[in-house]
Amino acid sequence: MSVSPEERLRALRFLRRVQARDLARTGQWIAVWEQRAAEWAQRPKPVVPDWALQYGVGGRAARPAMVHTSQCWVPGATMEGISRNQAIEALTRSGVPPCIMCRPKRELGVLD
């Protein structure tokens, strides 16, 4: 079965209209996401604490288990950001042990 040139042209023009509509819709999506990206870039960045307190089983209701630097990460652990003074107090007065991997005592200058 052969297609006449007029039918072929009609099909190609239809295809061009569909593609133009799709291209316009894609342009709208891009504009929306460019706006969202600009808004995202303007958001304030979260402050990362320099020290972290890890809690034992039971989360924050449990006794603190370990002091870490902020770069140390323990999978599945409940951790909370703390200040330098809080980290020193936890290590010296509260008897919370330091992490043996990140060695916060060395970073804090706390000697035994």
Side-chain angles (χ1 to χ4, degrees):
M1 181 162 131
S2 99
V3 178
S4 71
E6 292 82 19
E7 290 174 312
R8 177 64 66 172
L9 281 170
R10 189 174 32 239
L12 288 171
R13 288 180 180 130
F14 172 76
L15 177 61
R16 182 174 53 193
R17 284 193 310 271
V18 169
Q19 289 177 332
R21 186 184 65 222
D22 288 345
L23 186 59
R25 185 176 17 188
T26 301
Q28 291 170 348
W29 291 340
I30 289 171
V32 167
W33 283 101
E34 285 174 340
Q35 177 64 33
R36 288 181 183 176
E39 291 168 0
W40 182 273
Q42 296 299 320
R43 289 183 358 180
K45 305 297 181 238
V47 177
V48 177
D50 291 328
W51 313 101
L53 191 60
Q54 175 187 345
Y55 290 93
V57 176
R60 289 191 172 94
R63 184 181 191 289
M66 210 174 293
V67 176
H68 298 271
T69 64
S70 64
Q71 291 80 31
C72 194
W73 179 72
V74 180
T78 301
M79 298 176 77
E80 174 182 29
I82 58 175
S83 69
R84 176 181 173 80
N85 291 338
Q86 289 172 315
I88 291 171
E89 184 172 326
L91 290 168
T92 57
R93 293 195 183 109
S94 301
V96 179
C99 173
I100 61 171
M101 299 301 287
C102 65
R103 300 182 178 183
K105 279 187 164 185
R106 180 182 61 201
E107 298 279 332
L108 288 165
V110 176
L111 303 174
D112 289 330

